[in-house]
Amino acid sequence: MKKLLTVLAGVVIALSLFVTTGNTVKAAEPDGDCTCHDLLPIQGPERNKIVADFLSSKEFQAKKLELIKSGSTWNGAHTIEVVLPAEGVTMVGVPFISATGIPEVYVFINGTFVGSAPAE
């Protein structure tokens, strides 16, 4: 009898989860002229593959050697951020600490160095 009550209570709970109406969330309609993109960093295996290809590129190797010769330090591959802002565009940010101790991010777009910015 005890098992039967347990099973019936479980069925009632399960049915109440599936039968009750939930709060449906509706996404906002995008504006026709909005070209906004969500620039969250890529993570996981996709990021690791992009970073591995990037680290072996001649452009990065040359810039890294130049920065290290000038006294900057690099914390390693785990600090690299990868963003895909548009179709066919890969943006990679590599943080370095300058010889004076100021953190800077060196940005590469599709493997080409485009500039640096102070890290926030």
Side-chain angles (χ1 to χ4, degrees):
M1 186 68 176
K2 213 176 199 184
K3 289 182 182 180
L4 181 61
L5 287 175
T6 305
V7 170
L8 285 176
V11 169
V12 168
I13 291 171
L15 286 176
S16 69
L17 290 175
F18 294 113
V19 175
T20 59
T21 59
N23 184 6
T24 58
V25 178
K26 295 182 180 180
E29 291 293 322
D31 293 338
D33 60 347
C34 180
T35 57
C36 310
H37 296 283
D38 193 11
L39 295 178
L40 293 176
I42 303 297
Q43 296 180 353
E46 183 181 5
R47 177 212 173 266
N48 295 342
K49 186 176 180 181
I50 293 169
V51 168
D53 291 340
F54 173 72
L55 290 176
S56 63
S57 72
K58 291 180 182 177
E59 182 90 21
F60 172 70
Q61 293 293 330
K63 193 61 171 173
K64 177 181 160 191
L65 184 61
E66 174 190 327
L67 291 168
I68 289 177
K69 282 183 178 179
S70 71
S72 295
T73 57
W74 178 44
N75 221 10
H78 67 281
T79 59
I80 294 176
E81 289 193 9
V82 178
V83 178
L84 303 174
E87 186 71 32
V89 178
T90 303
M91 192 163 62
V92 178
V94 185
F96 277 86
I97 306 293
S98 71
T100 59
I102 300 170
E104 289 186 290
V105 176
Y106 290 83
V107 180
F108 296 79
I109 295 180
N110 290 341
T112 304
F113 176 69
V114 293
S116 65
E120 295 178 8

